Amino acid sequence: VGGVTPKKGGTEHLGLPVFNSVAEAKAETKANASVIYVPPPFAAAAIMEAMEAELDLVVCITEGIPQHDMINADIFTPQVRVKAALNQQSKTRLIGPNCPGIIKPGECKIGIMPGYIHKPGRVGIVSRSGTLTYEAVRPFIGYLLSHLDICVDQSLSSIYVPEDTSSHACFLDLLLEKTWGVFQTTAVGLGQSTCVGIGGDPFNGTNFVDCVTKFLADPQTEGIILIGEIGGTAEEDAAALIKSISLSKIIVSLNFDPLPWLKANIRESGTEKPIVAFIAGLTAPPGRRMGHAGAIVSGGKGTAQDKIKTLREAGVTVVESPAKIGVAMHESGGVYAACMPMLLLSVVGLNCNGAE
Amino acid sequence: MRGLMNKLVSRSLYVAGKWQQQQLRRLNIHEYQEEPKNKMRGLMNKLVSRSLSVAGKWQQQQLRRLNIHEYQGADLMNKYGINVPKGVAVSSIDEVKEAVKSAFPNENELVVKSQILAGGRGLGTFQNGFKGGVHIVKADQVEDIAGKMLGQILFTKQTGPQGKVVSKVYLCEKLSLVNEMYFAITLDRKTAGPLIIACSKGGTSIEDLAEKYPDMIIKVPVDVFKGITDEDAARVVDGFAPKVADRNDSIEQVKKLYKLFCERDCTLLEINPLAETSSNQLVAADAKLNFDDNAAFRQKEIFALRDPSQEDPREVAAAKADLNYIGLDGEIGCMVNGAGLAMATMDIIKLHGGTPANFLDVGGNASEGQVVEAFKILTSDDKVKAILVNIFGGIMKCDVIASGIVNAAKQVGVLWSDFSVYIGEQVALKVPVVVRLEGTNVDQGKRILKESGMTLITAEDLDAAAEKAVKAASK
C-alpha cells in the first residue's frame, strides 16, 4: 500500500497504490498491518478506522494525541473511544501512540527507528522511549567491538579498515561479514529478536506486560530488556507478572527433583530468561511532565525509585546507565545461587492456586 | 530505498511534527479558596498536595499542565453552572473600589487574595514588607490591603527566590462552611476511563483517611459508551454524603463538573473541600484543574488564559520557540533528542556527580533555527557551566544539529580557538560544550563541527560524554 488518505484514492506513491480508506486498502491488497502518521487532531479517529477494518496490527507513531481522545472523545469526534473499543475486541493489536514502532531485525520494520543499528539476535527489547532504546541497542555493538581483538586474532589474516573509523556501525557491518561465524560461536549474538516501542503516552495499546508475556513464550528470545521511565504503573505491573510467573514455574517442577532443573533453567528473574531493565527519570523533578505525556511523578507515585525497587524485588537486574544494559544482559546468562534457597522456600509455603 | 524511506518518513513526521510542536504549554490552576490564617495556608498547601496523592493514586497524572489563576478557574466553573464562592478579580485600586461597591455592597468581611501561580501565599511576604498574600478583612479595609498587594512581588516557599508579581487580586465573599467533603475526577490508567472519586470527609486529613479507611473513598468509573448516568451521579453524591444540601441539586452539580471535565480536556479536576454553606448550598470552595497540553489545539480559550509573567522566563522563551524545555537549577545544560533519552542524560550526569540545568527534548523535527534558540537559552542561563549535547539521531539528523550549534555559537559567542568573541552586546561565554553525535548523518555532523573551528569536546558514548561534561563544569 502506498498510503491511505481520503480523496487521494487512485493516485500512486512510491509506485504503490493510494486508497481513500483503510477498508478499501485491505480489500484490494489484503494488507493486515498499518502505521499511522496522522496529526494529533485526527489520529485517534485513524486508529478507530484501522480497528474497524479489523487489521491485525496498528502502529501509531503520532505524538500529541489528546488523552481524552484515547478514552472518549465523543464530544469532539463521533464514536472515538479508542481504549474502550480496543478492550472490546481481540482482532486488532495497537502499538503506541507516541512510539517509534516495532522492528524484527532482518525481517520487518514498522516505524521510524534507524534500522542499521539493529542486528538479528536473541534479546527482546520493550521500551517507552524511542531514542533511549537506540542507546540501549547501540552498546551491543560497542560490546561486540570490545571483543574484536580476540575474534580478529583467531580468525582473520587481514582486516579491512575504513578510512573513517568513527562510523562504528559500518565498520561492524564489514567485520561481521567476515567474522560472523566467530561471533556466533563465541555466543555473543546480542542482537535483537524483536524491538517494541510502546510509546510515552499514559493510554496506549500495548504495555510491558503484553510484551513480556510474548517474549517469555518466544523461542527466539532468550533475554528481555525493559526500558521504562517515571509515571504510571506499567513497570510495576510487569514486575508483578514476572514474580507470578516465577512462582508458577517452580510449582510445575515439583514432580521431579527441582534442584537440577532450577540450576539449569532459573535465571535471576525466576523466569527462564534473564531480564534487565533501565528506568529513566531518577533525577526528574516531581509534578513536571518530562516530555512524554505519561512521564510524570504525581502525588508521590510513579517515581523511578519505586519502579527500580519493585523490579529488583521481582528478580529483574536494573542498571544505572543504559550503557550498562548490554553488559548486564551478557553477564546474566548464569544462575544466581543466592536465589535458589529463596525460591525453594517459596515453594514449600505456597498455596497453589491456578498454577498450570 | 533507504534514502527514499528516510524521505518518506521524515516528511510524514514533519506533518505529525507540526502538531507535536504545539503542546509545550504548561498551565496550572490555583487552589480556590483558603482560610487566610497563616497556619491554614500551610495546611491547605499540604491538603492540596495530599489530596492530589489521593487522586494521584488512581491516575498518576500531571500536576502541572495548564496553570491558570484561581479567579480564572472559578470563572470557568461558574460558566458551567457550578456553585463557586462569589468573587471579583481586580487589577487596580479603582477596580477594588468599584468591586466592593457593586459586587459586595452588603458584606462586612471579604477575603483578599493575591493571584500568583504558586502556593504558600498565606505565609508569603511582599517585597514592600507586607506579610501574607491572603487576608480576611473588614469591608472598609479592603482597599488598603489590596493596595499593599497590587503590583508587588510576593515571595513564598514555592515562588523561588525571585518571587512572583501580583498583577491581580481576587476579592471573595467570606463563606462559613458547615461541612467539607472531597470530590475529584481523573483519567484512570487502570480502567482506561474517567474515574470519579468522592469522600464524605474532605479537608486536611484526606490522605490519612485514605490510608486508614479506604472504604470511605468511593470510586465511580464512568462508562464511556453511556456517559455519566443519573445513577453514577447519585452514587457519587451518596459517596460524599452532603448533610444539608439538596440531593437532586447535588446530583446536577456532579454532572456539571463531569461536563466541564470532558469538554475542556481536563486531566484532573479536584475539589477539596467541596463544602456546604450555612445556607444549604453545595459549593466548590477550593479547586485544582489540570488540562491536557496535547489538547491545546482545540482548547484555545483555556490556553489563552496562560499568564507568562508567572513563569520561568527560560521556559517562556522555550515555549515561543516550540521547544520542550523544563528549567532546573543545576550547572550542566542539556540538549537531547527524545524525552526518554533526555531524562536518562540528566540521570547519568547526576551519576557522574554533576547537576543538570534543564530538561530539553529537541525532538525529531527540530529545525536549525530551533537548535539555535535552544542553544541561546542554555547559554543565557547564568548557572550553566558546561553544555552537553547528546544526539542519537533516528529521524533527527546530526548535520542539522551541528549546523545549529555552529550558527548559535556565531550569534551568542563561545570560546573560539584562543579568542573570546564579542558579538553585539553579548559578552562571550566561556562555556565548554561537549558534543556527542550518533545516528543519521553522523559523519556530516561531525565534519560540520570540525570545519567550524569551534573548540568542542567530543565523546563517543553517553557515559563518556556525561563524564566529560561534569569535568568541564567543575573547572
Side-chain angles (χ1 to χ4, degrees):
Chain A
V1 176
V4 173
T5 306
K7 297 185 201 153
K8 292 253 174 88
T11 61
E12 254 194 16
H13 183 64
L14 299 177
L16 293 167
V18 175
F19 299 92
N20 282 319
S21 72
V22 176
E24 256 179 52
K26 182 181 175 183
E28 286 284 314
T29 65
K30 308 278 182 287
N32 59 355
S34 157
V35 61
I36 295 177
Y37 294 106
V38 176
F42 316 108
I47 298 174
M48 296 292 297
E49 188 189 339
M51 257 200 282
E52 274 147 26
E54 293 192 349
L55 294 182
D56 294 338
L57 180 64
V58 177
V59 179
C60 184
I61 309 294
T62 310
E63 174 165 18
I65 299 180
Q67 290 173 44
H68 275 261
D69 278 9
M70 291 304 289
I71 301 290
N72 173 30
D74 205 35
I75 300 165
F76 304 103
T77 322
Q79 306 301 321
V80 172
R81 301 180 177 97
V82 177
K83 281 295 286 184
L86 271 175
N87 290 341
Q88 285 191 338
Q89 55 88 54
S90 55
K91 188 78 175 37
T92 304
R93 166 160 293 285
L94 169 69
I95 296 180
N98 187 14
C99 77
I102 179 171
I103 180 169
K104 189 157 181 58
E107 292 188 37
C108 179
K109 177 177 102 166
I110 304 181
I112 59 164
M113 60 284 279
Y116 79 89
I117 64 171
H118 300 79
K119 290 283 172 274
R122 300 180 284 138
V123 178
I125 304 186
V126 51
S127 169
R128 281 169 69 179
S129 156
T131 51
L132 183 52
T133 317
Y134 314 158
E135 196 71 61
V137 167
R138 185 197 167 276
F140 293 164
I141 300 172
Y143 193 71
L144 288 173
L145 283 176
S146 72
H147 280 258
L148 278 178
D149 291 340
I150 304 161
C151 301
V152 164
D153 286 342
Q154 288 173 349
S155 71
L156 295 183
S157 53
S158 66
I159 308 162
Y160 175 82
V161 178
E163 279 170 33
D164 183 357
T165 54
S166 63
S167 183
H168 285 141
C170 98
F171 182 33
L172 181 64
D173 278 342
L174 289 161
L175 211 53
L176 277 177
E177 263 176 49
K178 296 184 188 308
T179 63
W180 189 236
V182 175
F183 279 117
Q184 283 183 334
T185 56
T186 57
V188 177
L190 289 178
Q192 303 84 43
S193 55
T194 309
C195 204
V196 185
I198 59 174
D201 277 2
F203 301 103
N204 55 24
T206 297
N207 228 324
F208 284 127
V209 167
D210 305 309
C211 296
V212 168
T213 308
K214 285 194 186 295
F215 281 139
L216 287 173
D218 174 28
Q220 189 189 343
T221 299
E222 296 186 20
I224 302 171
I225 290 177
L226 302 176
I227 300 174
E229 55 194 36
I230 53 168
T233 57
E235 292 82 358
E236 287 86 338
D237 295 341
L241 172 72
I242 291 163
K243 228 174 176 177
S244 73
I245 286 175
S246 323
L247 296 174
S248 66
K249 284 264 189 262
I250 292 161
I251 294 163
V252 164
S253 76
L254 274 181
N255 56 3
F256 57 89
D257 177 7
L259 209 53
W261 186 83
L262 282 172
K263 278 190 173 142
N265 290 299
I266 301 295
R267 308 300 178 81
E268 188 173 9
S269 75
T271 67
E272 289 165 350
K273 311 186 181 187
I275 306 182
V276 175
F278 172 74
I279 308 296
L282 260 175
T283 50
R288 302 303 305 269
R289 164 182 164 160
M290 306 300 286
H292 289 154
I296 175 154
V297 171
S298 174
K301 304 292 175 178
T303 63
Q305 290 91 327
D306 282 346
K307 289 173 190 297
I308 291 170
K309 181 162 167 283
T310 316
L311 284 166
R312 283 189 174 144
E313 281 166 6
V316 174
T317 306
V318 184
V319 297
E320 293 171 322
S321 157
K324 306 241 171 11
I325 292 177
V327 174
M329 176 53 67
H330 192 254
E331 287 175 357
S332 65
V335 175
Y336 292 78
C339 289
M340 277 166 29
M342 182 195 78
L343 293 172
L344 286 170
L345 282 170
S346 321
V347 164
V348 167
L350 202 62
N351 180 18
C352 312
N353 54 341
E356 291 136 47
Chain B
M1 205 55 203
R2 169 170 290 173
L4 278 172
M5 283 304 282
N6 279 341
K7 260 197 224 164
L8 154 71
V9 159
S10 64
R11 274 179 185 173
S12 319
L13 271 164
Y14 174 76
V15 177
K18 253 203 290 193
W19 297 94
Q20 181 180 350
Q21 278 145 22
Q22 287 234 340
Q23 28 86 23
L24 298 155
R25 310 314 197 161
R26 40 218 69 116
L27 304 169
N28 257 343
I29 196 169
H30 276 295
E31 311 102 55
Y32 182 71
Q33 199 216 46
E34 54 220 59
E35 294 294 332
K37 291 184 191 156
N38 291 347
K39 196 172 170 197
M40 213 50 202
R41 180 77 229 152
L43 280 173
M44 284 304 276
N45 277 340
K46 258 194 231 168
L47 103 80
V48 166
S49 62
R50 276 174 181 181
S51 346
L52 273 166
S53 80
V54 174
K57 252 200 263 187
W58 291 281
Q59 185 246 337
Q60 285 90 26
Q61 279 304 320
Q62 37 282 36
L63 268 174
R64 285 198 55 190
R65 288 317 209 151
L66 172 59
N67 248 325
I68 63 177
H69 286 288
E70 180 181 354
Y71 71 90
Q72 292 166 321
D75 186 48
L76 179 63
M77 289 196 291
N78 187 42
K79 280 201 182 95
Y80 276 79
I82 296 157
N83 299 333
V84 295
K86 183 163 162 185
V88 178
V90 294
S91 17
S92 70
I93 292 296
D94 286 339
E95 285 181 24
V96 172
K97 286 186 192 155
E98 187 52 47
V100 175
K101 218 178 2 167
S102 52
F104 304 105
N106 303 319
E107 309 286 333
N108 292 328
E109 282 184 314
L110 286 176
V111 190
V112 181
K113 306 168 152 194
S114 313
Q115 297 295 282
I116 59 167
L117 292 178
R121 290 175 294 173
L123 290 169
T125 312
F126 289 89
Q127 198 167 35
N128 60 11
F130 183 53
K131 287 201 194 310
V134 178
H135 288 267
I136 302 181
V137 296
K138 298 251 179 300
D140 54 7
Q141 291 177 314
V142 170
E143 223 179 283
D144 178 44
I145 299 296
K148 294 200 169 89
M149 296 179 177
L150 280 167
Q152 288 292 316
I153 308 232
L154 176 60
F155 302 93
T156 77
K157 276 199 181 137
Q158 292 185 27
T159 58
Q162 69 285 359
K164 290 209 192 284
V165 68
V166 180
S167 325
K168 279 190 158 53
V169 159
Y170 196 39
L171 309 172
C172 299
E173 61 173 330
K174 179 174 180 323
L175 293 173
S176 41
L177 301 177
V178 162
N179 182 26
E180 295 187 356
M181 304 158 285
Y182 177 91
F183 173 91
I185 314 177
T186 74
L187 284 175
D188 180 41
R189 290 198 207 199
K190 285 254 185 284
T191 58
L195 185 69
I196 306 182
I197 303 161
C199 181
S200 56
K201 288 235 175 311
T204 58
S205 56
I206 185 79
E207 200 196 39
D208 299 328
L209 207 75
E211 295 268 339
K212 270 198 275 185
Y213 308 110
D215 297 336
M216 280 189 78
I217 312 287
I218 308 299
K219 288 177 266 179
V220 180
V222 176
D223 181 337
V224 295
F225 290 105
K226 295 197 197 131
I228 188 167
T229 59
D230 285 337
E231 290 77 30
D232 291 334
R235 270 174 63 205
V236 174
V237 172
D238 293 338
F240 62 73
K243 296 197 166 86
V244 296
D246 178 72
R247 189 164 179 275
N248 286 333
D249 281 350
S250 302
I251 289 176
E252 287 310 306
Q253 286 285 293
V254 168
K255 285 158 83 172
K256 290 182 163 108
L257 284 160
Y258 184 76
K259 189 161 187 257
L260 192 172
F261 180 82
C262 292
E263 284 185 5
R264 299 300 183 159
D265 277 300
C266 292
T267 50
L268 174 68
L269 187 161
E270 188 183 57
I271 315 281
N272 189 11
L274 178 63
E276 296 178 273
T277 66
S278 47
S279 48
N280 299 353
Q281 259 225 322
L282 197 68
V283 67
D286 188 312
K288 195 120 185 156
L289 288 160
N290 289 335
F291 303 88
D292 184 2
D293 281 351
N294 287 357
F297 68 87
R298 65 183 182 206
Q299 298 290 350
K300 295 200 160 63
E301 211 183 278
I302 299 271
F303 281 77
L305 299 176
R306 185 170 165 244
D307 182 356
S309 78
Q310 302 288 308
E311 298 183 31
D312 183 335
R314 298 174 298 175
E315 295 187 11
V316 176
K320 274 210 187 89
D322 270 341
L323 290 166
N324 206 343
Y325 172 96
I326 292 178
L328 304 168
D329 56 11
E331 297 184 333
I332 298 178
C334 305
M335 185 189 308
V336 185
N337 67 319
L341 187 56
M343 277 193 280
T345 304
M346 286 162 54
D347 295 343
I348 288 163
I349 287 173
K350 205 78 192 281
L351 206 63
H352 284 276
T355 50
N358 66 281
F359 166 94
L360 172 56
D361 170 15
V362 296
N365 285 287
S367 63
E368 198 185 294
Q370 281 176 298
V371 175
V372 170
E373 281 310 307
F375 212 73
K376 278 186 183 165
I377 292 171
L378 294 181
T379 50
S380 70
D381 187 342
D382 289 330
K383 290 209 182 116
V384 168
K385 296 219 179 85
I387 292 178
L388 169 54
V389 179
N390 177 29
I391 300 291
F392 203 128
I395 296 306
M396 183 77 244
K397 298 195 189 70
C398 292
D399 53 337
V400 171
I401 292 282
S403 303
I405 295 174
V406 171
N407 283 330
K410 287 189 184 142
Q411 292 181 42
V412 170
V414 293
L415 188 63
W416 192 296
S417 301
D418 289 329
F419 301 91
S420 296
V421 182
Y422 288 79
I423 306 237
E425 298 159 20
Q426 200 101 36
V427 175
L429 300 160
K430 282 170 64 175
V431 179
V433 177
V434 178
V435 181
R436 182 277 183 127
L437 296 180
E438 182 89 53
T440 309
N441 291 359
V442 59
D443 296 330
Q444 289 96 302
K446 287 182 176 175
R447 197 182 320 124
I448 289 172
L449 292 177
K450 198 159 152 204
E451 288 168 1
S452 73
M454 283 174 73
T455 306
L456 295 170
I457 305 165
T458 57
E460 287 303 314
D461 68 65
L462 179 49
D463 248 358
E467 209 177 341
K468 290 182 179 181
V470 172
K471 221 201 262 165
S474 63
K475 288 216 178 95

